[in-house]
Amino acid sequence: MMRSALLLALFANPLVSAAAPDPLSSVSERSGFQRTGRYDEVVQLCGAFQKAYPKAVRCVEFGRTPEGRPMLALAVSRSGALTPAAARRRGLPVLLVQGGIHAGEIDGKDAGFLALREALAGRAAAGALERQVLLFVPVFNVDGHERFGRWNRPNQRGPVEMGWRTTAQNYNLNRDYAKADAPEMQAMLALVNAWDPLAYVDLHVTDGAKFEADVSIQVEPTRAGDAALLPLGVALRDGVMADLARQGSDPKPFYMSFARTDEPQSGFVDAVATPRFSSGYFQLRNRFAMLVEIHSWKDYPTRVRVTRNAIVSLLERVAAHGAGWLKEVHEADARASALAGAAVPLSYKTGEQSRMIDFRGYAYTRTPSEVSGALMTRYDESTPQTWRVPLREQILADLSVTAPAGGYLVPAAHAARVGAKLGQHGIAFTTLAAAPGSVEVETFRAEQAKFGAQSFEGRQTLAVTGAWKAQRREVGAGALFVPIAQPKARLVMALLEPQAPDSMLAWGDFNSAFERKEYMEDYVAEEVAREQMAADPALAAAFKAKLESEPAFAQSAADRLEFFARRHASWDERFKLYPVMRSATVY
């Protein structure tokens, strides 16, 4: 009986037509939003939209997955601008909307095709496609999409079957924007570099608890990035949230995950994402990123409808404000090119300050579980309940670094690998044909280096402490010079500053520089120590003082011998020296 009522409600919904199937409709629509199609449907619809609207739609293959599937995007505009060059010539803003980065969270694909068809037919966002280019990527994680199954998302209601979270190589693409290991991410960055979208919209479905709120809308820049762009990001976020609220949603501007897992009364903690995530990456390029997270426990028809509403709102807002916003981001590019010598935040933290909010949830109990032995939360969805909970939303700069006066120098030994990564991000650099020779630079030697205890996204991460210090070093031909005077200056620093959270160093690209490779035998070190103390009484006194003041040092035979080994001519002066240097000179 309940299923019959649900189906009646579905077909009363204007999203579902009782007429003959539209050739541009999806499996999702035709099933009453119970199912989603396989990837061959994306291929078919991409071509079908282009055939139906040859002057307004272009189906583009922008990459191939590791399993050999085409990665497709639809460039859509009533302006006639269906290439990056044409969009630039006409000064049109580009809105990139991406579905299926986590292919089990596939609402964006079905909602996007629905919104696209309605916009082209003039039934939604009237006139919006004349003033912008929509670049729609139905499925980012294509191979994961085809790992199809009924229970790939156990914390989610519908569709009946869906794809898998990670790629065929088991990469989580929404941890890969900065390091760009996955072939799919490299293809996406190439698409982004070509089109330079004003806004990049990443469509997701949450994990987490059960409550009534149905969607979160998070945008940057709103707290991070170019200061003049922050109010524009707030306007974009709040405008979409207002549109959704008028259509019956209960949107929130923060990710709806409890501060402590499974404890509703712990409330919520807002944060600025690091650039491994889409929502933390694009503000470094002076562009807008929006993370749309639909609540996983809403049924699939509801989730597709709310996602469709968000896409339509975005089309309308970019049509209304995109030209002005485009001018503003280009001005931000100019400001970024002048960041030399300025303090630039590279990471953020959430302050302890909080405020109490009303949040629409459900009655729940927390009782001991005989299975796990922990407290288990049970929600009663038949009993709505307003929770009074804390929200921590005070965002503070955590790590700030002064931008170099000139830029960064990458020695020739590391140039190929670093240059390839910079190229993937569209960062400008030059290869030095002649050797600068002995030059004044800043170098970073780690005082401490801590490797990750286990593999993460196929990498062993590294965290270092230390500081930049002036030094004269030899720089040879073939080194790279990466100027700070470029629009992506913040992204340059995010990748090359050693302590930035998603830098190349942090992701393990330079781990070998922090591994000791040459050693002095202990019996040799014993003799060296005695010779050094005999020749230098001050050194002997310093050793004695260290023994008396540092118990851990005194108890470590290895540390005691290393105290002297470091002072010997055989010590590796490059040990723990970050290979990349900072330069005040522009090459």
Side-chain angles (χ1 to χ4, degrees):
M1 189 70 180
M2 286 183 66
R3 180 170 176 79
S4 298
L6 173 62
L7 289 174
L8 283 171
L10 286 170
F11 285 97
N13 190 310
L15 294 184
V16 182
S17 173
D22 188 313
L24 300 180
S25 67
S26 65
V27 166
S28 180
E29 288 182 79
R30 296 193 296 273
S31 69
F33 298 97
Q34 299 303 300
R35 297 183 175 275
T36 193
R38 301 296 293 266
Y39 194 68
D40 58 1
E41 178 187 50
V42 172
V43 176
Q44 179 267 318
L45 283 173
C46 194
F49 271 95
Q50 178 172 292
K51 183 178 179 180
Y53 297 96
K55 295 182 178 181
V57 179
R58 182 164 296 177
C59 180
V60 179
E61 179 178 336
F62 66 94
R64 284 267 160 173
T65 71
E67 292 185 336
R69 296 184 177 92
M71 299 178 70
L72 298 178
L74 291 87
V76 186
S77 182
R78 290 287 193 186
S79 70
L82 297 178
T83 66
R88 280 193 293 273
R89 270 196 314 271
R90 301 190 185 197
L92 289 174
V94 177
L95 172 66
L96 195 158
V97 175
Q98 166 195 285
I101 188 171
H102 296 151
E105 307 166 23
I106 205 57
D107 312 25
K109 175 192 69 175
D110 293 325
F113 277 125
L114 177 61
L116 175 57
R117 192 182 78 236
E118 292 180 333
L120 285 166
R123 298 197 302 271
L129 291 174
E130 297 171 2
R131 299 191 293 277
Q132 67 189 295
V133 179
L134 168 65
L135 199 59
F136 174 46
V137 178
V139 180
F140 184 5
N141 177 15
V142 177
D143 289 343
H145 186 279
E146 291 305 277
R147 189 176 169 183
F148 221 59
R150 282 182 171 264
W151 293 107
N152 287 348
R153 289 277 293 167
N155 310 308
Q156 178 176 298
R157 288 193 174 122
V160 173
E161 296 175 287
M162 71 287 287
W164 192 254
R165 182 177 183 84
T166 57
T167 70
Q169 297 176 330
N170 208 33
Y171 285 117
N172 182 343
L173 291 174
N174 203 28
R175 305 296 183 272
D176 201 42
Y177 281 87
K179 66 183 177 67
D181 282 342
E184 294 94 333
M185 183 58 72
Q186 293 169 16
M188 177 60 76
L189 290 177
L191 185 72
V192 166
N193 290 336
W195 283 91
D196 189 20
L198 169 70
Y200 185 100
V201 181
D202 194 2
L203 304 173
H204 284 252
V205 181
T206 65
D207 292 306
K210 295 180 179 179
F211 40 69
E212 289 195 272
D214 55 356
V215 58
S216 67
I217 302 293
Q218 294 170 270
V219 172
E220 290 299 342
T222 54
R223 289 84 51 87
D226 182 272
L229 296 183
L230 305 189
L232 305 183
V234 170
L236 173 61
R237 180 197 67 196
D238 291 354
V240 171
M241 288 178 58
D243 288 345
L244 293 175
R246 279 191 290 271
Q247 295 171 89
S249 286
D250 182 16
K252 304 298 179 189
F254 54 87
Y255 188 77
M256 296 179 288
S257 180
F258 297 140
R260 293 189 298 275
T261 301
D262 243 12
E263 295 186 34
Q265 286 307 311
S266 67
F268 303 96
V269 179
D270 202 2
V272 170
T274 67
R276 71 187 62 176
F277 301 96
S278 65
S279 51
Y281 175 78
F282 282 90
Q283 57 93 0
L284 299 174
R285 300 176 69 121
N286 310 311
R287 301 298 182 266
F288 299 101
M290 177 179 286
L291 176 65
V292 179
E293 289 273 3
I294 308 296
H295 188 220
S296 62
W297 290 109
K298 299 297 180 283
D299 60 32
Y300 197 55
T302 298
R303 298 207 316 270
V304 172
R305 174 176 54 80
V306 175
T307 307
R308 173 263 179 203
N309 292 346
I311 295 170
V312 170
S313 174
L314 282 158
L315 287 170
E316 293 172 340
R317 294 193 172 276
V318 171
H321 307 289
W325 290 345
L326 196 59
K327 179 177 178 290
E328 294 283 352
V329 301
H330 289 155
E331 291 176 358
D333 288 345
R335 289 190 292 272
S337 296
L339 278 175
V344 178
L346 295 179
S347 67
Y348 297 83
K349 61 185 178 182
T350 306
E352 294 301 317
Q353 178 181 321
S354 67
R355 64 184 177 93
M356 301 302 290
I357 63 169
D358 290 330
F359 190 86
R360 289 166 51 196
Y362 299 109
Y364 66 92
T365 59
R366 283 177 55 77
T367 56
S369 166
E370 67 278 11
V371 177
S372 66
L375 287 176
M376 174 185 175
T377 305
R378 294 176 173 87
Y379 296 96
D380 178 3
E381 293 178 81
S382 68
T383 309
Q385 187 179 80
T386 298
W387 301 335
R388 187 75 173 164
V389 297
L391 170 64
R392 288 170 51 204
E393 57 184 349
Q394 180 191 27
I395 302 299
L396 306 170
D398 189 11
L399 172 68
S400 289
V401 175
T402 301
Y408 296 86
L409 286 165
V410 181
H414 302 274
R417 179 165 43 85
V418 175
K421 191 59 58 184
L422 298 176
Q424 289 164 4
H425 291 283
I427 290 171
F429 62 91
T430 57
T431 302
L432 304 185
S438 178
V439 294
E440 288 291 336
V441 294
E442 289 180 279
T443 61
F444 184 99
R445 191 181 300 274
E447 297 167 1
Q448 292 183 319
K450 183 176 181 180
F451 293 100
Q454 63 186 38
S455 175
F456 177 60
E457 288 297 311
R459 300 289 198 110
Q460 184 184 26
T461 57
L462 175 62
V464 295
T465 60
W468 291 102
K469 294 180 181 178
Q471 189 178 26
R472 181 169 285 275
R473 302 289 296 190
E474 284 286 332
V475 177
L480 304 183
F481 175 66
V482 188
I484 198 65
Q486 59 178 300
K488 298 186 181 75
R490 287 184 178 83
L491 182 55
V492 169
M493 295 184 69
L495 294 175
L496 295 183
E497 281 295 327
Q499 294 178 288
D502 284 327
S503 68
M504 293 186 71
L505 181 146
W507 278 108
D509 279 300
F510 297 99
N511 280 3
S512 60
F514 301 87
E515 300 167 359
R516 190 174 168 192
K517 300 298 175 74
E518 187 59 86
Y519 295 87
M520 182 183 290
E521 296 287 356
D522 286 356
Y523 70 89
V524 176
E526 292 277 4
E527 293 302 319
V528 165
R530 285 163 175 74
E531 291 171 1
Q532 289 180 352
M533 286 190 287
D536 187 350
L539 177 64
F543 177 63
K544 182 174 183 293
K546 194 173 180 69
L547 288 174
E548 293 171 351
S549 62
E550 299 181 24
F553 173 78
Q555 294 170 16
S556 171
D559 288 351
R560 289 167 68 152
L561 291 177
E562 187 178 300
F563 178 88
F564 298 99
R566 284 179 174 272
R567 290 161 172 79
H568 192 265
S570 65
W571 183 258
D572 180 9
E573 71 89 19
R574 295 185 185 179
F575 179 48
K576 293 187 178 179
L577 181 68
Y578 177 44
V580 178
M581 298 164 279
R582 289 162 48 115
S583 171
T585 303
V586 175
Y587 291 91

